Amino acid sequence: MSKARTYTYFPGCMIPYRLPHFELTMREVLKKLGVELETSPDHSCCPEPTTFTGVDFEAWVTIAARNVAVSESTGNDTVAMCSGCFHTLAVANHMVHEDQELRERINKRLKKSGLEVTGDHSVKNLLHVLHNDIGIEAIQKQVTNPLKQLKIAPHYGCHLVRPLEATNMDHAENPQWMDAIIRATGAEVAEFENKMACCGAPIMPADEQKSLTVTSKHLKHIKASGADAIVVLCPTCYTQMETQQGKVEAIAETEFNLPVLSLGELLALSMGLSEIVTENQRRYHRVKLTELLEKAGVGGA
Amino acid sequence: MVTKDTMSSLEVRNWLLDQPEGETLLRCYQCGRCTSACPVADIEPSFNPRLFLQKILLSDELIAEEQLVWNCLTCEQCEVRCPEHVKIPHILILAKVRGLMKGNVPAAALDRARNILSIGRSLEVSSPMLKTREKMGLPDLGTPPMDQIVAMLVDIGIVGKIEKAESIYGGTENE
Ligand code: SF4
Ligand code: SF4
């Protein structure tokens, strides 16, 4: 194994407290790949980019830039597992880097606590870390249980990918990095209509009916591809497409029965770490994984 | 830039155009490609990003009461398709900001904002949540330094504003 890489892990709120199995599985996978994560108690909520922005944008960008400043002070690159956190930090980072007036305004506020933000820091998501820093070959080397029977639909989600100038992702409408990671596990990548469709979650607080309608269109496209499961990085996309799948089914008047896995769970299944998936499946998955686990050759629990 | 509670629509327009993202609005030539790409416009014809931009450009008073801006997913499918790279979702976010003191903000969004400004998290961290982390062998993450964060926000006045703000919006209560 190559020497350990250390990142500052930005935890946020949803993954550590609502869906900790995302963190657990990804930590174990990263450990296998020689990655260490450090946390800082000074990090707060990112804040989330879908509603707090519209309550007070200036407060949002200030708190976000403060979190980037905390990251800068650690000296390591930052990785956020949640797409909302990643988006917030990446956008704030980009904004303070590009806009001198904004940078000065925020640094005046940060001065009181001895922090400073430059915008030169590297804010990453898990695809940057897995695909670019670790690399597909190194991932493949750890795959001991190739998931040959599975067809997996990659759901990138909006905030992980756009806007490109802040996210440093590969493509706004046809990103490829998660596809490559899925293939590395031995699974087939499902092709479906409108790959970069939104999960619908951001407008749940404003209009549940419309939100779930957006979701139902997306799930219909994925279902039609014959996928065995959807893979996500974002806990909010997960909540919308998994936890709320029953409500989506009611609106769509059809049964989807589509399991959703976090990328950490998929990788864990392929790397001989299936116990951490099966141990937590009943608590965190409403859509049963039984069939999927059988196809993955690990049996249910 | 800090917003005042009582900005006229003209002031909002100028405030918006003063920011690098807001300034991209001047490039909009109303071609409507944003609306054709928008998944919300697809299911709700009265949601029309092109028209929102036009209203902001013309300083139309109605944009302040426009609850529909909260139906924007911030998905950026419009921006990807816009030939002029107008920062449409960013501009719609700035249009939302003005509604806070008028109550034009979904109740659930207000609750989240209150959590963030009082405990530094978007949700309340309960002891079962902490126990689960412990059982999984996940590290304790500590508590964010709220005094420091609140002190930093003084000139924005958000903490006082959010105490007074009330939602007349309704929307979805549970999450
Ligand atoms: S696509 Fe761009 S230029 Fe065309 S109407 Fe929308 S914002 Fe304006
Ligand atoms: S960001 Fe908003 S306006 Fe643009 S396509 Fe998405 S929902 Fe429509």
Side-chain angles (χ1 to χ4, degrees):
Chain A
M1 208 187 301
S2 55
K3 65 176 172 31
R5 297 166 203 265
T6 305
Y7 295 85
T8 294
Y9 162 46
F10 182 88
C13 311
M14 283 287 282
I15 287 185
Y17 298 115
R18 281 258 167 84
L19 301 169
H21 68 301
F22 273 51
E23 183 178 334
L24 176 70
T25 48
M26 190 48 84
R27 273 183 184 274
E28 293 301 315
V29 165
L30 289 175
K31 226 183 268 169
K32 275 214 172 229
L33 296 167
V35 168
E36 286 188 24
L37 301 178
E38 285 174 3
T39 57
S40 163
D42 284 335
H43 277 143
S44 67
C45 171
C46 52
E48 56 78 26
T50 59
T51 59
F52 195 82
T53 39
V55 171
D56 193 315
F57 191 81
E58 184 76 9
W60 176 81
V61 70
T62 302
I63 300 174
R66 182 190 163 281
N67 281 321
V68 174
V70 170
S71 276
E72 285 186 11
S73 72
T74 68
N76 297 322
D77 287 358
T78 291
V79 61
M81 293 190 189
C82 165
S83 302
C85 296
F86 165 70
H87 180 88
T88 289
L89 299 184
V91 168
N93 196 35
H94 180 74
M95 284 179 73
V96 292
H97 188 263
E98 298 298 305
D99 184 346
Q100 193 189 341
E101 241 176 78
L102 174 74
R103 187 167 64 243
E104 285 168 6
R105 211 155 72 225
I106 288 177
N107 276 324
K108 231 189 254 169
R109 294 178 188 135
L110 288 176
K111 220 175 175 174
K112 295 176 209 154
S113 35
L115 287 166
E116 197 196 342
V117 66
T118 64
D120 298 334
H121 183 72
S122 187
V123 175
K124 294 179 171 173
N125 62 44
L126 283 166
L127 299 185
H128 295 117
V129 171
L130 290 164
H131 184 275
N132 300 355
D133 296 356
I134 295 170
I136 293 299
E137 230 175 276
I139 294 172
Q140 254 160 354
K141 275 192 194 140
Q142 295 297 331
V143 173
T144 51
N145 176 38
L147 306 171
K148 291 219 165 71
Q149 311 252 17
L150 292 182
K151 192 169 174 183
I152 300 291
H155 172 84
Y156 287 78
C158 312
H159 295 92
L160 184 83
V161 175
R162 296 187 279 245
L164 289 184
E165 69 267 22
T167 63
N168 291 310
M169 289 291 294
D170 58 333
H171 201 284
E173 295 191 274
N174 188 15
Q176 290 298 326
W177 296 341
M178 199 179 344
D179 295 40
I181 295 168
I182 291 170
R183 270 185 230 112
T185 68
E188 184 190 341
V189 174
E191 303 274 341
F192 56 94
E193 202 183 318
N194 207 353
K195 183 178 189 178
M196 277 303 295
C198 179
C199 72
I203 58 172
M204 262 314 241
D207 193 320
E208 179 170 317
Q209 192 74 15
K210 278 187 211 125
S211 170
L212 296 171
T213 305
V214 172
T215 318
S216 77
K217 288 193 164 191
H218 190 39
L219 292 187
K220 270 182 201 159
H221 289 150
I222 293 177
K223 189 74 190 176
S225 75
D228 295 295
I230 305 171
V231 163
V232 299
L233 283 166
C234 179
T236 305
C237 299
Y238 180 86
T239 306
Q240 185 77 5
M241 299 192 297
E242 211 282 348
T243 321
Q244 307 276 23
Q245 199 174 109
K247 278 191 189 173
V248 183
E249 286 177 334
I251 282 204
E253 293 177 359
T254 171
E255 204 177 295
F256 291 117
N257 196 21
L258 259 172
V260 186
L261 297 175
S262 71
L263 186 61
E265 289 179 300
L266 183 79
L267 286 166
L269 289 175
S270 76
M271 291 182 178
L273 298 166
S274 56
E275 322 80 67
I276 48 172
V277 179
T278 51
E279 267 168 28
N280 291 300
Q281 59 154 327
R282 249 177 270 177
R283 177 150 186 197
Y284 296 104
H285 288 266
R286 291 199 182 166
V287 182
K288 297 267 173 299
L289 299 186
T290 324
E291 218 176 298
L292 180 91
L293 291 173
E294 265 163 32
K295 277 194 179 181
V298 299
Chain B
M1 242 165 286
V2 180
T3 49
K4 290 179 286 172
D5 297 349
T6 53
M7 277 169 123
S8 73
S9 287
L10 189 61
E11 280 175 312
V12 171
R13 176 184 185 271
N14 293 341
W15 165 75
L16 214 140
L17 293 180
D18 226 21
Q19 315 183 38
E21 297 80 11
E23 201 194 345
T24 64
L25 178 56
L26 293 174
R27 298 201 294 252
C28 171
Y29 63 94
Q30 292 286 303
C31 70
R33 269 180 240 189
C34 46
T35 303
S36 338
C38 172
V40 178
D42 190 34
I43 57 174
E44 168 63 62
S46 59
F47 184 93
N48 187 332
R50 178 189 66 79
L51 267 181
F52 287 141
L53 298 183
Q54 188 188 62
K55 280 185 184 170
I56 296 168
L57 267 171
L58 299 175
S59 310
D60 186 331
E61 280 296 334
L62 288 174
I63 193 77
E65 271 89 49
E66 195 68 89
Q67 295 206 336
L68 268 180
V69 286
W70 278 97
N71 278 344
C72 171
L73 294 156
T74 66
C75 71
E76 305 199 12
Q77 297 186 67
C78 49
E79 191 175 314
V80 170
R81 296 293 170 83
C82 171
E84 292 296 321
H85 308 289
V86 176
K87 305 288 293 175
I88 306 158
H90 193 114
I91 291 165
L92 295 186
I93 285 169
L94 295 177
K96 289 174 190 167
V97 169
R98 194 180 168 218
L100 178 62
M101 296 323 286
K102 291 186 151 75
N104 186 15
V105 48
L110 212 49
D111 288 345
R112 253 188 230 166
R114 289 196 170 113
N115 277 341
I116 292 167
L117 293 169
S118 60
I119 57 171
R121 304 268 184 231
S122 63
L123 48 89
E124 277 182 60
V125 178
S126 66
S127 60
M129 289 176 184
L130 294 172
K131 261 190 214 128
T132 302
R133 285 190 65 80
E134 215 187 303
K135 254 193 235 153
M136 287 183 168
L138 297 171
D140 180 55
L141 300 171
T143 28
M146 285 319 293
D147 292 354
Q148 203 190 92
I149 293 171
V150 169
M152 175 184 74
L153 299 172
V154 165
D155 74 300
I156 302 173
I158 179 63
V159 178
K161 271 190 228 170
I162 207 92
E163 268 168 28
K164 278 181 269 164
E166 263 178 71
S167 170
I168 53 160
Y169 190 98
T172 318
E173 298 287 327
N174 67 320
E175 277 190 59

